[in-house]
Amino acid sequence: MTIVTKLFGGLGNQLFQYATARQLGLHLDRPVLADLSWFRNIQDGETPRVPLLSHFHLPVSFVHSDGDPEHLAEPAANLWQAIRRPVRTINEKQPFRFDKRLQTLADRSRLAYLVGYWQSFRYFEEARPHLLEDLRPSTVVDSHYADIATRIEGCQSVMVHVRRGDYVHSASAAKVHGALPLDYYRRALELVRGRVKDPHLFFFSDDIAWVREHLHTDLPSEYVANASGDTAVIAELGLMQRCHHHVIANSSLSWWGAWLADRHGQMVVAPRCWLKSESLVLDDLLPPSWETLDCGD
């Protein structure tokens, strides 16, 4: 059986989709393919994205299903084999909830095609050593970011991620997600101040000018300016990972920055309001060692 994961969304989503398939591939000792067909036909209302996983050292092949997973499967030798070993599509049942079906998936198909966000650390926590090795950027880091990395390593650095972008400017994304209120960050930083000695804040955002204007503190702070190009987000993920502590947004990107770091004594603050209009159980998304906060008004 070949395992195929359908990639879509931004870098954080693509990482969840890859990591889940990677764990399954290790468990079954089967190859993993990543289907890029979504990026060829992004629908109206969806945030335009580009595939980014080719910029890491991943043991994965990139393919295009053109919307039909059958195109990626080994052809059945006869009708009996097609019936006994079909192409199986596995759709995510419930966002942010771990689906045990993936633990019990047996090698009875020619191809297993995964469609979902798979946003739970439980899908791939056993594969962590492999993922830390896989997710090393293969692109050269801009010198602008290299200087920041040195400063991050030299202090009690705290990543503060503020997600705006389509959460503010896209009607559909704003309705579902929505940017977190400033009060969440103020209360998170009070927690940091009480637990971290000599914290130095590093603000990351897709709208860093807005953050510089609206989010102030008397703690030592640096506002990380964005480099140009699609791969800048990969360099910023690497900087997030280097930070000693993390205040994350309702964003899969900063989730990965915190999860990949996992330093001894690391403090992570995360919002309980991951989606704007829903009250969700996030036990499968947010590791138990992370501090969680309500978002306030």
Side-chain angles (χ1 to χ4, degrees):
M1 178 174 66
T2 300
I3 298 159
V4 182
T5 183
K6 182 179 181 179
L7 299 183
F8 52 88
L11 176 60
N13 289 332
Q14 294 172 45
L15 290 174
F16 273 110
Q17 292 151 3
Y18 167 72
T20 299
R22 175 71 157 128
Q23 167 64 38
L24 192 56
L26 289 167
H27 176 66
L28 296 174
D29 191 24
R30 291 293 181 265
V32 173
L33 307 181
D35 181 15
L36 303 180
S37 59
W38 181 85
F39 299 95
R40 287 183 170 181
N41 188 31
I42 297 176
Q43 302 298 306
D44 291 342
E46 295 177 325
T47 302
R49 301 293 189 183
V50 295
L52 290 168
L53 295 191
S54 62
H55 298 283
F56 295 95
H57 295 276
L58 307 184
V60 64
S61 298
F62 296 96
V63 295
H64 294 277
S65 70
D66 294 322
D68 186 356
E70 284 277 0
H71 294 168
L72 307 176
E74 176 186 349
N78 49 54
L79 179 60
W80 181 244
Q81 187 184 74
I83 295 172
R84 289 289 301 272
R85 302 192 68 228
V87 171
R88 182 179 179 188
T89 297
I90 304 168
N91 292 290
E92 183 179 32
K93 285 186 174 181
Q94 186 177 0
F96 311 114
R97 299 301 291 171
F98 177 67
D99 187 341
K100 293 182 180 180
R101 289 181 302 163
L102 269 66
Q103 283 186 324
T104 59
L105 186 66
D107 191 5
R108 299 194 188 98
S109 304
R110 283 173 289 134
L111 182 143
Y113 188 77
L114 308 184
V115 183
Y117 289 96
W118 313 113
Q119 291 186 350
S120 169
F121 66 93
R122 302 185 196 280
Y123 285 121
F124 47 78
E125 55 186 340
E126 294 180 7
R128 181 182 179 82
H130 297 277
L131 293 171
L132 290 175
E133 183 67 19
D134 294 350
L135 298 178
R136 295 175 295 113
S138 58
T139 54
V140 177
V141 176
D142 189 286
S143 60
H144 159 72
Y145 288 124
D147 293 340
I148 298 170
T150 300
R151 296 195 290 278
I152 285 174
E153 293 285 358
C155 65
Q156 280 294 314
S157 50
V158 181
M159 177 210 83
V160 184
H161 184 232
V162 181
R163 170 72 182 272
R164 286 179 57 79
D166 58 345
Y167 282 15
V168 175
H169 303 297
S170 165
S172 58
K175 182 178 180 181
V176 174
H177 296 279
L180 296 176
L182 289 174
D183 184 60
Y184 162 76
Y185 290 100
R186 294 187 182 112
R187 289 184 294 115
L189 293 178
E190 284 303 309
L191 285 178
V192 169
R193 189 192 297 270
R195 300 188 191 179
V196 178
K197 184 179 179 181
D198 300 324
H200 188 117
L201 310 182
F202 288 82
F203 287 95
F204 295 83
S205 180
D206 49 8
D207 191 351
I208 201 67
W210 185 94
V211 176
R212 186 190 297 272
E213 179 180 353
H214 291 90
L215 195 49
H216 308 131
T217 174
D218 59 352
L219 294 173
S221 302
E222 184 164 342
Y223 297 83
V224 179
N226 308 112
S228 59
D230 293 328
T231 59
V233 67
I234 295 175
E236 292 191 14
L237 175 64
L239 294 180
M240 293 178 184
Q241 181 181 353
R242 288 173 179 263
C243 289
H244 292 68
H245 310 280
H246 299 79
V247 175
I248 73 171
N250 51 341
S251 161
S252 56
L253 180 65
S254 52
W255 187 100
W256 277 99
W259 190 83
L260 288 170
D262 195 30
R263 290 174 175 264
H264 177 71
Q266 174 193 20
M267 179 182 185
V268 180
V269 183
R272 293 193 188 106
C273 48
W274 207 258
L275 297 184
K276 188 174 182 179
S277 59
E278 294 185 39
S279 177
L280 299 168
V281 177
L282 298 175
D283 294 347
D284 290 341
L285 171 66
L286 305 177
S289 62
W290 293 9
E291 185 86 25
T292 60
L293 285 178
D294 290 328
C295 297
D297 297 328

